[in-house]
Amino acid sequence: MKTLRLGTLAVLTASAIALTMSGASAHDPDTPEGQAAARTFMADFQPAERHAVTSTAAGVPCVDGKADIYPCKNVDLLSVLPLAQIGGGNGNDIWGWTDPSSGKEYAIVGRTNGTAFVDVSTPTAPKFLGNLPSNGGSSSWRDMKVYKDHAFIVADFITGHGMQVFDLTRLRTITTPQTLTADTVYKEFGPAHNIAINEETGYAYAIGSNTCSGGPHMVDIRTPKQPKNAGCVSQDGYTHDNQCVIYRGPDAAYRGREICFNSNEDTLTIVDVTDKANPVQIVRKGYSGAQYSHQGWLTEDQRYFLLDDELDESRGTDKRTKTYIWDLASLANPVHTGVYSSPATAIDHNQYIKGKYSYQANYQAGLRILDVSGVASAQLSEAGYFDIYPAGNEAKFNGAWSNYPYFASGIVLVNGIEQGLVVVKPNLGTVEPPPAGKKFENTTDVAIPDAGAAVTSSAAVSGVTGKAPATLKVNVDIKHSYRGDLVIDLVAPDGSTFRLKGSNNDSADNVITTYTVDASAKTSEGTWQLKVQDVAKADTGYVDAWSLQF
């Protein structure tokens, strides 16, 4: 989730590049528009700040519109970790990882010169664990996502960077800051502007690379340390950002398919990538007011898509941040239903939807949180904000690059171009509570033989005393070409079983769902097992991952 890819842009001199450029606009570097945007970006460059909040056990609450030096509304400040304390450079993208064995939360912080890993499980006292240096040079555009406890990292403008793969479980034993190395590097592209991952299918999508005409370069990462080229999506050329999902929305024609929603510079482009060897473009749709289709995210019911256009503020007379609302009742005919205009005047950048809120990183306006519960009538409203760039609100490339709102604890990570890692906690009244208890997960693949014996995958539960809950959540991710063949049981530590699914005539692919089990008669601690058997011939699959939520 980034901005402009420079390529070999002649207008930037070698000395300017050496400045480790901060955030920018987003364009294909081979176009005049991209070259103009690069010049604008360079004009906004500022060095990293060194402001750190005085450490307090409870952070700094938002009172009368301020927390420390930062303007705020319904969002408290927990900590600031300046770039100088996490490896230097300037900030760009960010993502998070929760250790399934301990529940500890970690920030993965992109910087111009590398990637920092920070333990934020005590969010008022984040701990820098180490730096993974950039592979071959410095770049303002670094992006990362997580799958199966591994981070996948790309960078633009570095010819031989490729995709770094880092095993996040290595962080468990680090006590003092380290210089880290990648476990492997995927080399079938060099620079890439962004990366997206569909965690349900185990495919990564490198976007804006030097392959696939700049469209999504698909990579099979189901075995994380052995990534494999899976194909290209090149029909619509350069893609700036995307979200790929197993579709469960209202359009019955595409349910169960893997669909990518691409922000393609001047359009929303929707592609069916179920068959990686033959991706099918469903639609390419423009919209009124388009200047640069930058990034967007689906509502959780997959009915609506919120799109941010990165250059409409700087190029228009109305400088207020705008969010474009799409109704996707028909994937072949998405309808642009309205525009939300923020009270703030700033460029929008990356947004992610969790529950009924969209968490937007909008450069100089900082983190902006929109209530999207009225999206059906094209009505959004601002529920809170935290402005990490108090010097002003203009349509310029400074401040909040991206954010990560998906931790169970409810904290939100913000990465500032000049500010570094900012950890905040929204207080939105009806914000979704974090799930109770602990999560125990097994992400090791287990092959399911065709019409063969049952196989099991184990999860050792510890640190949870007493009986299991009456609403034990069993999250199952099984890839299989005919799910009706499968019988699935949960096996308790005492050997007793709970039937989760019987065999039937369901010809659809995969079992990706959550079962609720009344396990209140069983002791929590011990080894639980997911037991799976294929009882009919002709189809195969594997247990991709499963977990227990206590």
Side-chain angles (χ1 to χ4, degrees):
M1 319 302 173
K2 305 195 178 130
T3 49
L4 169 77
R5 177 172 159 264
L6 290 180
T8 56
L9 189 59
V11 298
L12 298 178
T13 65
S15 59
I17 294 168
L19 291 173
T20 64
M21 303 165 291
S22 62
S25 65
H27 282 95
D28 185 335
D30 296 326
T31 66
E33 291 85 0
Q35 296 169 13
R39 289 191 290 270
T40 301
F41 150 72
M42 290 302 295
D44 292 342
F45 175 82
Q46 294 180 10
E49 296 177 0
R50 295 182 177 272
H51 178 78
V53 178
T54 302
S55 189
T56 65
V60 182
C62 178
V63 177
D64 296 329
K66 276 287 188 72
D68 193 68
I69 64 172
Y70 305 104
C72 58
K73 172 187 173 183
N74 295 335
V75 182
D76 296 332
L77 174 62
L78 299 181
S79 57
V80 176
L81 203 55
L83 289 152
Q85 297 181 24
I86 55 175
N90 279 73
N92 40 57
D93 223 300
I94 193 164
W95 206 245
W97 173 61
T98 301
D99 187 340
S101 68
S102 66
K104 293 180 70 172
E105 296 172 340
Y106 296 84
I108 306 167
V109 188
R111 307 177 342 274
T112 51
N113 56 350
T115 304
F117 299 90
V118 181
D119 181 346
V120 292
S121 53
T122 303
T124 54
K127 184 178 180 181
F128 173 53
L129 300 179
N131 175 52
L132 176 63
S134 181
N135 186 32
S138 183
S139 172
S140 292
W141 302 276
R142 192 173 307 279
D143 200 54
M144 65 289 300
K145 297 294 178 295
V146 169
Y147 174 71
K148 279 191 175 180
D149 304 325
H150 288 72
F152 298 82
I153 303 165
V154 301
D156 208 349
F157 195 58
I158 301 174
T159 301
H161 189 279
M163 179 177 72
Q164 296 172 306
V165 182
F166 179 79
D167 187 340
L168 294 162
T169 64
R170 293 165 54 188
L171 301 177
R172 293 169 176 165
T173 58
I174 295 178
T175 56
T176 58
Q178 309 285 313
T179 297
L180 303 166
T181 57
D183 290 275
T184 191
V185 179
Y186 176 83
K187 288 284 195 174
E188 295 199 33
F189 59 80
H193 201 65
N194 278 320
I195 184 171
I197 291 177
N198 184 351
E199 295 182 39
E200 288 197 58
T201 61
Y203 283 88
Y205 298 85
I207 311 154
S209 76
N210 60 335
T211 63
C212 303
S213 301
H217 178 124
M218 298 180 284
V219 187
D220 182 345
I221 58 170
R222 288 175 291 180
T223 302
K225 293 186 179 69
Q226 299 175 24
K228 299 176 182 177
N229 190 332
C232 280
V233 180
S234 56
Q235 296 96 320
D236 194 28
Y238 188 90
T239 298
H240 181 264
D241 213 329
N242 76 355
Q243 182 186 9
C244 300
V245 300
I246 295 296
Y247 180 71
R248 298 182 178 87
D251 192 337
Y254 294 98
R255 285 189 196 132
R257 310 287 293 176
E258 186 169 11
I259 307 296
C260 289
F261 298 83
N262 299 338
S263 298
N264 271 37
E265 300 194 293
D266 57 354
T267 62
L268 169 61
T269 300
I270 304 176
V271 183
D272 184 338
V273 297
T274 308
D275 181 356
K276 303 296 184 292
N278 185 35
V280 178
Q281 182 170 296
I282 300 170
V283 70
R284 180 180 187 274
K285 194 69 175 285
Y287 56 97
S288 176
Q291 292 294 326
Y292 194 83
S293 307
H294 177 266
Q295 187 258 3
W297 212 251
L298 292 164
T299 55
E300 291 192 342
D301 62 1
Q302 298 183 353
R303 171 67 185 266
Y304 301 96
F305 187 79
L306 301 187
L307 175 72
D308 49 79
D309 185 305
E310 193 180 29
L311 297 182
D312 56 350
E313 294 88 9
S314 60
R315 291 179 175 177
T317 56
D318 181 358
K319 304 299 183 182
R320 293 182 298 166
T321 308
K322 299 169 189 65
T323 302
Y324 294 80
I325 304 166
W326 293 83
D327 186 337
L328 304 182
S330 167
L331 294 190
N333 185 31
V335 178
H336 174 213
T337 59
V339 179
Y340 167 77
S341 292
S342 168
T345 53
I347 297 171
D348 44 7
H349 203 208
N350 294 334
Q351 64 178 315
Y352 301 100
I353 293 175
K354 177 185 177 185
K356 72 171 194 174
Y357 296 105
S358 176
Y359 296 79
Q360 302 184 336
N362 291 342
Y363 281 126
Q364 286 197 9
L367 175 70
R368 296 279 159 166
I369 304 174
L370 302 187
D371 185 332
V372 303
S373 57
V375 67
S377 56
Q379 299 296 315
L380 311 181
S381 60
E382 188 170 79
Y385 63 83
F386 193 91
D387 187 352
I388 71 169
Y389 189 85
N393 282 345
E394 296 184 72
K396 293 186 176 181
F397 302 111
N398 312 103
W401 182 293
S402 195
N403 77 96
Y404 180 80
Y406 295 115
F407 284 135
S409 66
I411 67 171
V412 177
L413 309 176
V414 183
N415 194 6
I417 297 169
E418 301 87 7
Q419 297 76 20
L421 174 62
V422 182
V423 185
V424 299
K425 182 70 176 288
N427 294 302
L428 304 177
T430 57
V431 68
E432 303 79 19
K438 293 185 177 181
K439 181 180 178 182
F440 299 88
E441 185 175 29
N442 190 330
T443 60
T444 301
D445 291 352
V446 178
I448 305 169
D450 186 24
V455 296
T456 59
S457 176
S458 299
V461 174
S462 61
V464 182
T465 59
K467 299 294 185 180
T471 56
L472 177 64
K473 302 297 183 184
V474 186
N475 306 301
V476 175
D477 184 346
I478 297 174
K479 304 301 191 297
H480 196 276
S481 52
Y482 194 103
R483 64 190 179 198
D485 289 357
L486 299 179
V487 176
I488 308 172
D489 293 298
L490 177 68
V491 183
D494 65 359
S496 57
T497 62
F498 299 89
R499 177 58 50 89
L500 304 179
K501 177 191 175 299
S503 60
N504 53 39
N505 295 320
D506 187 347
S507 62
D509 295 344
N510 307 331
V511 180
I512 304 171
T513 190
T514 298
Y515 299 99
T516 300
V517 173
D518 183 355
S520 57
K522 306 300 175 183
T523 300
S524 295
E525 293 193 328
T527 299
W528 294 73
Q529 294 181 315
L530 188 73
K531 180 180 177 182
V532 184
Q533 185 174 14
D534 183 332
V535 298
K537 293 182 178 180
D539 292 271
T540 60
Y542 62 96
V543 179
D544 193 353
W546 75 284
S547 65
L548 294 170
Q549 181 73 52
F550 282 81

